[in-house]
Amino acid sequence: MKRRELVKMLGMGLSVAPVSMSTRLAFGGDKKESSSRKVVWVMLRGGVDSLQTVVPAFDKDLMRHRRPLAEAVLDDLNPLDNGFGLHPDLTNLYDWYQKKEMAPVVAVASPYRSRSHFEGQDLLESGLTVTNHDSGWLGRALEVSSKQGLAVAHSLPISMRGQGNASTWFPSRFRAAEDDLYSQLFKLYESDDLLRGRLEQGLQTRAMAEGAMSSNNKAHFEALARAAGMLLNGDSSPSALMLEMGGWDTHDNEVFRLNRQLKQLDDGMGALKKALGSLWQETLVVIATEFGRTVKVNGTMGTDHGTGTALFLAGGALKGGRVLGDWPGLKPSELYEGRDLMPTSDVRSWIGSALQQHWSMPDQQITSVFPDLALGQKPLIS
């Protein structure tokens, strides 16, 4: 096996060290003055129905379009400002909202205006107007701020791709390797700084994650989120971490399926905060999806791929407790292409503004992260 291939295998989570590493990766290498501020990026894959999550209960046209869905939650909504209501299964997020640690942003979208999951996810992760599969917004942010990141994933997502400032970790289903194997590998890599460094980093990450997963090693979202909190809370921890959660493509039986998804998301976020402990106060959480869903319910009690959706900003560092964004209305004339929630702001502008304020990034740095975007001036971070 060629050296380059071996490095690539290590990068994809070889069983002896289920992590991927970069040559310069040393989590403890962040600048001291900014190393304590963390970012958790949660990508919800499948297109979340924001109208059933941050419900515009005040909008008289809501029932016209989706009575069967809305009636299932209207009486139990957690009240937000401006007449919105938060889905009743988001109990942790509502607790954060009441403590001014969470703010939903309504009617957002990336520049993507078609309805392909993969294309939409790629563009959101890239953070550009034209997808670059080798460069993600968080990867660029890590690079310009000399920070390190970690994705809880089998392979490095587009969001964190860039110049090698990010790595991956995911719980392995393989039997743990004997310590002697690592000793042999260290001996083998003795004269190769790159391979030895990656092996060291892999073992370091695995050690930080030890005990975070359940005994049967099932990688459900709550366990992964708990592990994420422990990884961020460890010594020499990364400055940013990415989680992913699929299953949001609710074309049918949406009430049951979305309730289950939101409960799992909320449980995971609760586990993350608990694992972070006091570090929560220095953490920004960003939760987003590639697009929203149709305003009208379809014939199978679900919704189809749409456009406008909602973004969640959270964390102890956030100035939350408010609903952000401009509401476009649900009258037929106010819908995008007569069927979708009309986006009124670019999701990237909110993410960029929060990121810049959280990490105190100069304009020049954040411009290199989102080069074609004017960021908002609204204070988002404490």
Side-chain angles (χ1 to χ4, degrees), residues 175-253:
R175 187 178 65 180
E178 299 292 338
D179 290 341
D180 181 60
L181 176 59
Y182 298 120
S183 297
Q184 295 298 323
L185 284 173
F186 273 119
K187 186 177 298 184
L188 181 65
Y189 301 158
E190 189 173 11
S191 59
D192 191 312
D193 293 340
L194 172 60
L195 289 177
R196 190 179 67 253
R198 292 197 172 193
L199 180 57
E200 288 173 350
Q201 186 64 58
L203 293 175
Q204 180 188 21
T205 306
R206 191 187 68 166
M208 284 193 291
E210 246 174 29
M213 304 299 297
S214 58
S215 57
N216 59 12
N217 233 16
K218 286 185 178 179
H220 56 80
F221 184 73
E222 182 179 355
L224 293 175
R226 181 183 302 108
M230 295 179 68
L231 285 164
L232 288 172
N233 215 357
D235 295 333
S236 301
S237 62
S239 295
L241 187 143
M242 178 178 177
L243 286 163
E244 304 170 88
M245 182 179 174
W248 299 93
D249 197 15
T250 51
H251 287 285
D252 58 79
N253 195 19

Side-chain angles (χ1 to χ4, degrees), residues 146-172:
S146 301
K147 298 178 183 295
Q148 303 296 337
L150 181 71
V152 180
H154 290 289
S155 60
L156 195 63
I158 292 176
S159 301
M160 302 191 82
R161 292 179 190 170
Q163 298 302 312
N165 291 65
S167 61
T168 70
W169 169 82
F170 202 84
S172 174

Side-chain angles (χ1 to χ4, degrees), residues 52-163:
Q52 193 73 358
T53 306
V54 184
V55 183
F58 62 90
D59 196 309
K60 296 178 180 178
D61 289 285
L62 179 70
M63 299 297 277
R64 175 208 292 212
H65 297 300
R66 48 168 56 210
R67 178 180 293 275
L69 301 180
E71 284 185 335
V73 297
L74 274 180
D75 290 341
D76 299 317
L77 290 175
N78 296 304
L80 306 173
D81 63 0
N82 300 330
F84 288 91
L86 192 66
H87 192 284
D89 282 323
L90 294 175
T91 56
N92 283 306
L93 266 63
Y94 187 60
D95 179 58
W96 300 354
Y97 177 86
Q98 292 178 302
K99 294 176 179 174
K100 302 189 184 306
E101 296 176 346
M102 191 280 282
V105 187
V106 297
V108 298
S110 77
Y112 187 67
R113 289 296 181 271
S114 296
R115 297 180 177 90
S116 161
H117 289 300
F118 299 119
E119 292 176 356
Q121 290 170 20
D122 289 354
L123 191 62
L124 174 60
E125 291 196 67
S126 180
L128 304 169
T129 52
V130 177
T131 299
N132 181 345
H133 292 91
D134 296 321
S135 179
W137 65 265
L138 189 49
R140 294 190 295 273
L142 292 169
E143 180 186 355
V144 299
S145 57
S146 301
K147 298 178 183 295
Q148 303 296 337
L150 181 71
V152 180
H154 290 289
S155 60
L156 195 63
I158 292 176
S159 301
M160 302 191 82
R161 292 179 190 170
Q163 298 302 312

